[in-house]
Amino acid sequence: MSPEIAATIEILSADELRRTVNRLASEVVERSGDLSKVVLVGIYTRGVPLAKLLARQIEMLEGVTVPVGALDITFYRDDLDKIGPRTPERSDIPVDLTGKITVLVDDVIFTGRTIRGALNATLDYGRPESIRLLSLVDRGHRQLPIHPDYTGKVLPTAKDEKVKVYLQELDGRDAVELSRAPVN
């Protein structure tokens, strides 16, 4: 009997992830018009440093500082019984979102349930002119009619596969990897 082997495939290298973030920042700039109305809101955990990366890139491109917020959606989730107990982070939205173009930033979109919770949580901070969604990786398998406005990489996956985003700020490296279940 052979040992179980789990396959991990690099989807985006550090350089590819950097280029993807640069492209996404450019798309936000192009589609937003008035950058003074844009607020990037990262969804914990990896959406927060991703939103900061995007804001830095927008500042490099346009010389405009875009506010960045952090949103914890723990109490807005409908699947706490499935994901287990979590310690909530502190949401930090630096401006009233009323009349703003609010870009929710997440690392991976899967079923859409996280984003449903984020939409509800966002409305506690004002009534945005519009809410857009930016996802670094779209892996499919939506359970709700939610689709990102900005997508870094569309990656069709099997439901039992895992997509892991590594960001320098949290993990000491930048990469996106796909893990497959062990094969006998």
Side-chain angles (χ1 to χ4, degrees):
M1 184 180 295
S2 64
E4 291 186 359
I5 300 170
T8 299
I9 301 165
E10 184 176 74
I11 302 302
L12 294 175
S13 67
D15 283 342
E16 291 167 328
L17 193 142
R18 179 186 48 77
R19 285 191 296 272
T20 300
V21 168
N22 293 348
R23 177 178 51 80
L24 289 168
S26 293
E27 289 179 19
V28 170
V29 168
E30 289 172 12
R31 292 186 48 202
S32 296
D34 183 1
L35 290 177
S36 70
K37 294 174 75 173
V38 174
V39 179
L40 300 175
V41 177
I43 301 169
Y44 278 108
T45 298
R46 283 174 177 72
V48 175
L50 188 57
K52 292 175 185 175
L53 285 171
L54 289 159
R56 282 195 295 271
Q57 185 60 28
I58 289 170
E59 188 167 6
M60 286 175 47
L61 290 169
E62 298 295 313
V64 175
T65 301
V66 175
V68 177
L71 188 64
D72 181 273
I73 61 142
T74 300
F75 297 118
Y76 296 88
R77 296 189 71 104
D78 65 359
D79 60 353
L80 284 174
D81 59 325
K82 291 184 174 85
I83 63 170
R86 290 187 171 197
T87 303
E89 298 288 341
R90 184 175 176 274
S91 291
D92 179 21
I93 308 299
V95 297
D96 180 355
L97 298 180
T98 300
K100 300 291 187 184
I101 299 169
T102 302
V103 181
L104 293 174
V105 179
D106 203 7
D107 59 344
V108 178
I109 185 168
F110 183 36
T111 62
R113 294 191 175 280
T114 295
I115 304 308
R116 186 210 51 83
L119 289 167
N120 290 339
T122 298
L123 297 176
D124 286 347
Y125 295 94
R127 188 176 189 285
E129 175 183 305
S130 66
I131 301 174
R132 298 178 184 166
L133 174 59
L134 183 149
S135 181
L136 184 62
V137 178
D138 181 349
R139 61 172 293 197
H141 303 286
R142 221 70 86 239
Q143 295 174 354
L144 300 169
I146 294 172
H147 185 76
D149 299 281
Y150 311 98
T151 305
K153 175 94 174 157
V154 175
L155 181 65
T157 62
K159 285 187 179 181
D160 64 342
E161 293 175 320
K162 304 283 185 229
V163 175
K164 179 70 175 163
V165 173
Y166 296 94
L167 296 172
Q168 186 71 40
E169 183 176 318
L170 298 175
D171 308 301
R173 69 184 179 113
D174 290 328
V176 176
E177 295 178 349
L178 174 69
S179 297
R180 296 202 166 121
V183 178
N184 288 326

